[in-house]
Amino acid sequence: MAYLCSECSYETARWVGQCPNCKSWNTITEFNIPAVSKTTSAINRATGGNNYGGYAGSSGKGARKLDDVSVVEANRVSTGQAEFDRVLGGGLTLGSVVLASGDPGAGKTTLLTQIAARMSQTMPTMYVTAEESLSQWKKRAQERLGLQFNNDNFWVDDSDCVEDIVVAVKEHGIKLLIADSIQAFESTSVEGSAGGVTQVKTCAQILNRLCKTEGVTLILVGQVNKDSKMAGPQTLKHIIDTTVHIDVTESNVRILRSDKNRFGDTDQVGIFQMTEKRHD
């Protein structure tokens, strides 16, 4: 038994009103720590592996001599959104994990739906919409945004079970997975409700493991709290490769920034304009 801060995942042996680490109030909650062997086993069962973590190109065969390690160059593809590509450092790095966050109504789903349509033209793509029904998502994509998808290369799913998502990705040979949002997913292998510390970390680890072992590029959507900070454990940022955040201005302009990028710098800014209709 331990107590964790829902904002920064700081651990303490007893409950306190203010987190000693991030200074947030009333964010310390009781947390049942699952056994390491159980957590590892859960991730292995979900992804079909015998370990987790690491990066693309890792074989999971244990320690090796440095000379025996091959260097894999990071390959990039354009998402069809020039501003998004710029913030990423020149395009989406294949095999990477990107965390996209922003206030409600900032346009996360709209932007990523446009990217899904573009990417479905060249690679097997799946959009998991755990916060909307398939009918709602389709109406947004086709009626409001007027997007065209490659029907032979695109799948949409409204499952909130991360194990089901893993099965679908493997079954259809998905190479780009957009998961919206990480706080809505649950794993059947651990206790707790969706959005809780245990569920968010476990689901993120399972999807990260899937990405690294199957060569899947993953874009995770993360919700933010009233202070525009990432909801749930901040340690989520240690799992992913790149973060992008959409800031809402007083007008219909949106600013896209990154504060972590393993494959590029973080000084680029993307500017978008939200309009009633799509503009090519």
Side-chain angles (χ1 to χ4, degrees):
M1 184 72 67
Y3 294 87
L4 291 182
C5 174
S6 60
E7 289 294 329
C8 67
S9 292
Y10 177 82
E11 182 177 334
T12 177
R14 61 184 179 85
W15 185 88
V16 291
Q18 184 182 36
C19 174
N21 182 52
C22 69
K23 307 304 179 184
S24 298
W25 286 96
N26 300 318
T27 57
I28 302 294
T29 57
E30 191 177 59
F31 174 59
N32 290 316
I33 303 175
V36 174
S37 58
K38 180 179 178 181
T39 303
T40 303
S41 178
I43 296 172
N44 292 339
R45 288 197 304 272
T47 60
N50 56 13
N51 60 12
Y52 62 92
Y55 295 91
S58 172
S59 63
K61 295 181 179 179
R64 285 169 286 173
K65 295 285 189 180
L66 185 60
D67 289 343
D68 295 332
V69 178
S70 58
V71 176
V72 179
E73 295 296 331
N75 295 318
R76 294 183 185 271
V77 295
S78 173
T79 63
Q81 293 284 344
E83 299 296 300
F84 193 76
D85 288 348
R86 180 185 300 113
V87 174
L88 291 178
L92 187 62
T93 301
L94 296 179
S96 68
V97 180
V98 177
L99 177 64
S101 63
D103 293 326
K108 301 183 296 296
T109 300
T110 297
L111 174 61
L112 296 179
T113 300
Q114 292 174 319
I115 290 173
R118 169 66 173 78
M119 301 303 291
S120 73
Q121 308 304 321
T122 58
M123 68 173 62
T125 301
M126 175 180 286
Y127 198 113
V128 182
T129 170
E131 297 189 351
E132 287 184 316
S133 69
L134 295 182
S135 177
Q136 289 174 320
W137 191 90
K138 182 177 180 179
K139 184 174 182 179
R140 177 205 303 267
Q142 295 190 331
E143 293 184 16
R144 199 180 91 187
L145 299 177
L147 298 174
Q148 298 295 322
F149 296 83
N150 181 348
N151 197 52
D152 295 329
N153 228 18
F154 182 75
W155 289 261
V156 62
D157 195 341
D158 62 355
S159 176
D160 59 3
C161 176
V162 73
E163 285 83 6
D164 290 345
I165 295 170
V166 170
V167 170
V169 166
K170 290 185 175 183
E171 178 182 354
H172 301 298
I174 300 301
K175 291 303 177 184
L176 173 64
L177 172 64
I178 301 176
D180 187 359
S181 68
I182 186 61
Q183 283 87 4
F185 296 129
E186 292 182 312
S187 170
T188 59
S189 60
V190 294
E191 298 178 354
S193 58
V197 173
T198 309
Q199 286 290 351
V200 169
K201 292 180 69 174
T202 300
C203 290
Q205 286 177 322
I206 288 174
L207 292 177
N208 180 67
R209 160 75 176 177
L210 174 71
C211 172
K212 303 309 181 183
T213 58
E214 299 292 326
V216 177
T217 305
L218 172 65
I219 301 179
L220 282 176
V221 176
Q223 302 299 340
V224 298
N225 58 27
K226 60 183 179 180
D227 297 320
S228 294
K229 295 181 180 179
M230 181 64 60
Q234 290 296 300
T235 50
L236 189 63
K237 288 188 176 181
H238 299 299
I239 297 174
I240 53 84
D241 299 309
T242 303
T243 62
V244 293
H245 181 81
I246 302 176
D247 288 319
V248 180
T249 67
E250 294 181 358
S251 62
N252 59 350
V253 173
R254 302 292 189 265
I255 307 297
L256 185 71
R257 295 184 174 89
S258 173
D259 60 12
K260 176 182 178 180
N261 190 348
R262 286 194 173 122
F263 307 105
D265 57 48
T266 57
D267 59 2
Q268 297 295 323
V269 175
I271 301 176
F272 297 87
Q273 185 177 25
M274 295 291 289
T275 60
E276 293 184 1
K277 296 183 179 180
R278 174 188 174 212
H279 293 276
D280 293 321

